[in-house]
Amino acid sequence: MKLAKLAAALAVIVMMTVVAAPAATAEESKSVDLTATVLEPKPEIGIELSATALDFGQLYPGDTSAPQDLKVTNIGLKTVDVTATASDDGSEPLFVPGLLIDNSAWNTYSASLAEDEFDDTQLALHVPNDYTARGTVTGGATFWAEEHSAAQAPLADFTASPLSGVAPLTVQFTDLSTNTPTSWSWDFGDQTTSSEQNPSHLYSSVGTYAVSLTACNGAGCDDEVKSAFITVNEVVLAPVADFSADAISGMSPLTVQFTDLSTNTPTSWSWDFGDSASSTEQNPSHIYATAGIYTVTLTATNSAGSDDEIKTAYITVNNPVVTPMNWATFQGDNYHTGVTTEAVSGNTLLWNASTGGSGMSGLDVAPIVADGVVYEMNYQARAFAYNADSGALLWERTDLSPSTVSFQLSTPVYHDGVLYAAVNSGAKQGTFVYALNGTTGATIWSKQLLSGWTVQPNTPVIYDEGKVYFGTWFSNNTAGHYYCLNAANGALVWDFTATAKSYYWAGAAIIGNYVVFGCDDGTLTSVNKNSGSVTQQISAATTFGITTGMIRSTVSYSAASGMVFFTIQSGYCCAIGFDSATGMFDASKKWATNIGSGTSTPAIYDGKVYVGHGTFSGTNHLYCLDEMTGSTQWTVNVTGGVQSSPVVSVHDGEVRIYFTTNAASGMVYCVDASGNVIWTYTPAQVQYMLQGVAIYDGKLFFGNDSGYIFALGGE
């Protein structure tokens, strides 16, 4: 027989002729239809069955004789299932081919033939037990049976869209099960079910849901469970943007902390601070470096949308108000370095004011400037307070000394709203110390020390940690005293008495826990600032090997080099090491440079020492010395002595040194760091200038023996 394909055939009908032999009761011949049923799925390969003149033999009820053979031709298939049914009239089976057929399986045959079973396989042909006919199969018959797989249970699977959203959420489920399920059972996780193949389901409540599908067919069932498969969220509203700031105005640089106040739960933020800077933080901090008025914008966003909050002209940043550096004590600080970061804006006279003067005596005290007020004391120990900008007199005290015949040389000190001054009585009543209200001039307390008009408090008053320090001088060469008073009430803390002579212009430097000062006897003394006990006392003549002389300058100190500096009237500027931790002098580093007689307190800056020399006549100098060696770097020649203490202004990298000359036509000098004269100023009320200058808020203040105080400045 010939192999062929019949891909589209659902069934093949084969006619077999049965010729009946005479039987005991009857003999008949029947023609029956043999139907081969094609199984699903249908491949395009068939198998050929053939029957030729097979003799059934006599078949009686209960006959167990072996049937005749029916050949199956091997055409190379691996496995094939064959199902065949046959009946004479469609009501009951007539005969059924099969490999293993028992008496209970008359109408259906289904079997798989492996490759090695195809040749010479026996197919049995039976008739019902109640059939008594015998006959012979004649002729041939051919039919096709198509290859198929054995029926299998489904493999359940599914998908859904969308998997998340806000309530109410409609989800479309799609069955992806294989092996042709015929029924479906869905559980949507919210106590609802469906038997549709591809159901649509509405989730009404917020939550996370597991979904399961059971898919079934004739071969069995399978479950697919997807945990936390559907997420239903609350309804999301677009944000309503809002924010606040902890500071909406201030001086640059201004740090502002912004706080998000947006509602409806934004998930992202975009800030525009109005100065070309931005941020994506929820609560950012931002620094406004430049003065200006800034509009701030916040965009708040979530899945439902975004919203902008714009606050116009919200942040105001002003240029910083620079608080002037107070010049509250002699030479600016307790080291007496004479350095300020204030610049002098010009040398134009801004204002002047008279405190009274004799022509030879007027103002011999350096001005003090603090908190917008200039404090000065004239030769009669009268105290004055002027507005630093306008020169307006704020208050005056004429009653501090019981005599109008005084000679005031002590520079006062200002601290925290109080002016401390030591005055000469001039009437044999000794020394008086006052604490005055800096705003009103009213007395807070006063203290009388010693008696007799020969005693004068001639050193600057120094304030440090609740105490004030100063020294006294006796015109009759009596041993002077250095005092420490309680700044709160004037109570005496300690009294140090010199060995022989006393203290004239010899102000003390406060270095750590020690007070260091010179004396007319040429000694340099270090005492404990709290107890007054002597730590060490040295002789300048012995230490430096020079001609002895009076130390009539205030001691200055450089933390950079660890040295103290002073001048001696015999003609030297001296420096010696000082240990601020122990209060001891260190003679391993010292120098003494002969600059000529002087009372100028050395100013120290950037490795240089600036100091003057001379009295009130002749040609004298301002010296610039090397801080470590004392070698001369340069000098400025002037007419008259430089008895004043220089002041060094360092501003924006520019260094200027200011000093006065004690001559009949005294002048103010401004020189640069190389000693070049930038400008000079001679007041109209020309006179001697014993003391130096003070710098405050762009202005330069000084006085002279005409009794006038002057303020210079300008652009």
Side-chain angles (χ1 to χ4, degrees), residues 530-609:
N530 297 310
S531 66
S533 60
V534 176
T535 304
Q536 188 179 13
Q537 188 175 70
I538 62 174
S539 164
T542 301
T543 301
F544 296 98
I546 59 176
T547 303
T548 187
M550 295 181 290
I551 300 176
R552 287 196 167 184
S553 78
T554 294
V555 172
S556 54
Y557 172 72
S558 168
S561 62
M563 302 175 77
V564 293
F565 304 84
F566 56 95
T567 57
I568 301 177
Q569 274 197 318
S570 60
Y572 292 91
C573 178
C574 300
I576 188 170
F578 183 79
D579 188 337
S580 61
T582 65
M584 302 292 288
F585 299 103
D586 179 8
S588 67
K589 51 182 180 180
K590 63 182 180 180
W591 52 260
T593 299
N594 192 341
I595 62 171
S597 177
T599 59
S600 174
T601 297
I604 306 101
Y605 174 72
D606 194 26
K608 304 294 188 297
V609 177

Side-chain angles (χ1 to χ4, degrees), residues 1-9 12 38 42-49 73-77 80 142-147:
M1 301 296 292
K2 183 179 179 182
L3 175 64
K5 289 185 177 181
L6 188 59
V12 178
V38 180
K42 301 183 291 296
E44 297 182 353
I45 300 176
I47 184 171
E48 182 181 48
L49 302 178
T73 303
N74 180 6
I75 58 173
L77 296 179
V80 69
T142 301
F143 66 90
W144 293 98
E146 295 188 357
E147 180 183 18

Side-chain angles (χ1 to χ4, degrees), residues 50-398:
S50 65
T52 56
L54 299 177
D55 186 358
F56 283 98
Q58 292 184 355
L59 297 175
Y60 294 100
D63 185 3
T64 59
S65 60
Q68 298 297 315
D69 294 340
L70 181 62
K71 297 289 185 180
V72 177
T73 303
N74 180 6
I75 58 173
L77 296 179
K78 299 299 182 182
T79 301
V80 69
D81 289 348
V82 178
T83 297
T85 61
S87 65
D88 59 347
D89 58 6
S91 60
E92 62 179 356
L94 176 61
F95 59 87
V96 177
L99 284 174
L100 301 171
I101 301 297
D102 59 22
N103 288 338
S104 65
W106 294 104
N107 66 336
T108 302
Y109 164 71
S110 178
S112 295
L113 300 179
E115 182 177 0
D116 58 358
E117 298 175 318
F118 274 65
D119 292 329
D120 301 325
T121 300
Q122 296 291 323
L123 289 178
L125 194 60
H126 295 267
V127 295
N129 286 338
D130 60 353
Y131 240 79
T132 59
R134 57 183 295 162
T136 301
V137 175
T138 62
T142 301
F143 66 90
W144 293 98
E146 295 188 357
E147 180 183 18
H148 75 285
S149 300
Q152 298 181 18
L155 294 177
D157 193 15
F158 62 92
T159 187
S161 180
L163 298 179
S164 64
V166 298
L169 178 66
T170 299
V171 179
Q172 177 64 52
F173 292 92
T174 301
D175 172 42
L176 299 178
S177 304
T178 58
N179 294 337
T180 316
T182 57
S183 66
W184 300 266
S185 178
W186 297 83
D187 185 335
F188 300 118
D190 61 352
Q191 299 182 338
T192 58
T193 61
S194 176
S195 59
E196 297 180 20
Q197 181 179 7
N198 299 302
S200 177
H201 180 64
L202 178 67
Y203 288 92
S204 301
S205 301
V206 173
T208 300
Y209 299 95
V211 179
S212 64
L213 167 63
T214 301
C216 298
N217 63 15
C221 297
D222 185 46
D223 295 329
E224 172 67 9
V225 179
K226 297 190 178 185
S227 301
F229 190 52
I230 302 298
T231 301
V232 182
N233 301 308
E234 293 183 358
V235 176
V236 178
L237 300 176
V240 177
D242 193 15
F243 63 90
S244 66
D246 68 340
I248 60 173
S249 65
M251 303 299 175
S252 65
L254 177 65
T255 299
V256 180
Q257 177 65 55
F258 291 95
T259 301
D260 171 45
L261 300 178
S262 305
T263 56
N264 296 337
T265 317
T267 56
S268 65
W269 301 264
S270 178
W271 296 84
D272 183 337
F273 300 120
D275 61 351
S276 300
S278 61
S279 175
T280 58
E281 295 181 19
Q282 182 178 5
N283 299 302
S285 177
H286 180 63
I287 298 176
Y288 288 93
T290 306
I293 299 175
Y294 299 96
T295 294
V296 180
T297 302
L298 168 62
T299 301
T301 303
N302 64 15
S303 59
S306 62
D307 185 48
D308 295 331
E309 173 66 8
I310 302 173
K311 296 192 177 185
T312 303
Y314 187 53
I315 303 295
T316 300
V317 182
N318 299 310
N319 284 317
V321 174
V322 178
T323 300
M325 177 180 175
N326 282 346
W327 193 264
T329 189
F330 178 77
Q331 285 298 90
D333 57 46
N334 283 353
Y335 288 169
H336 310 305
T337 59
V339 178
T340 179
T341 57
E342 293 277 343
V344 177
S345 58
N347 61 342
T348 300
L349 179 66
L350 301 178
W351 58 263
N352 62 15
S354 176
T355 65
S358 65
M360 290 298 293
S361 299
L363 295 177
D364 292 321
V365 169
I368 294 298
V369 193
D371 297 340
V373 179
V374 182
Y375 299 97
E376 184 61 282
M377 297 190 73
N378 75 356
Y379 75 106
Q380 295 174 316
R382 293 181 178 182
F384 299 85
Y386 298 95
N387 181 286
D389 290 327
S390 66
L393 180 65
L394 302 177
W395 55 262
E396 175 184 359
R397 287 291 300 268
T398 62

Side-chain angles (χ1 to χ4, degrees), residues 470-550:
F470 65 95
T472 59
W473 177 79
F474 287 84
S475 61
N476 60 2
N477 287 327
T478 302
H481 295 256
Y482 233 98
Y483 292 103
C484 173
L485 304 183
N486 187 311
N489 54 27
L492 179 66
V493 178
W494 52 259
D495 173 5
F496 174 82
T497 304
T499 303
K501 297 187 179 182
S502 49
Y503 306 102
Y504 197 107
W505 286 329
I510 310 296
I511 309 170
N513 287 323
Y514 304 96
V515 182
V516 182
F517 48 87
C519 181
D520 271 1
D521 63 6
T523 59
L524 195 64
T525 303
S526 168
V527 302
N528 184 284
K529 72 177 183 180
N530 297 310
S531 66
S533 60
V534 176
T535 304
Q536 188 179 13
Q537 188 175 70
I538 62 174
S539 164
T542 301
T543 301
F544 296 98
I546 59 176
T547 303
T548 187
M550 295 181 290

Side-chain angles (χ1 to χ4, degrees), residues 590-644:
K590 63 182 180 180
W591 52 260
T593 299
N594 192 341
I595 62 171
S597 177
T599 59
S600 174
T601 297
I604 306 101
Y605 174 72
D606 194 26
K608 304 294 188 297
V609 177
Y610 302 98
V611 62
H613 95 283
T615 54
F616 49 83
S617 62
T619 299
N620 297 285
H621 307 86
L622 174 75
Y623 280 87
C624 173
L625 307 178
D626 182 270
E627 181 178 345
M628 299 305 298
T629 66
S631 61
T632 301
Q633 306 299 297
W634 49 257
T635 62
V636 177
N637 297 336
V638 297
T639 299
V642 183
Q643 292 185 261
S644 65

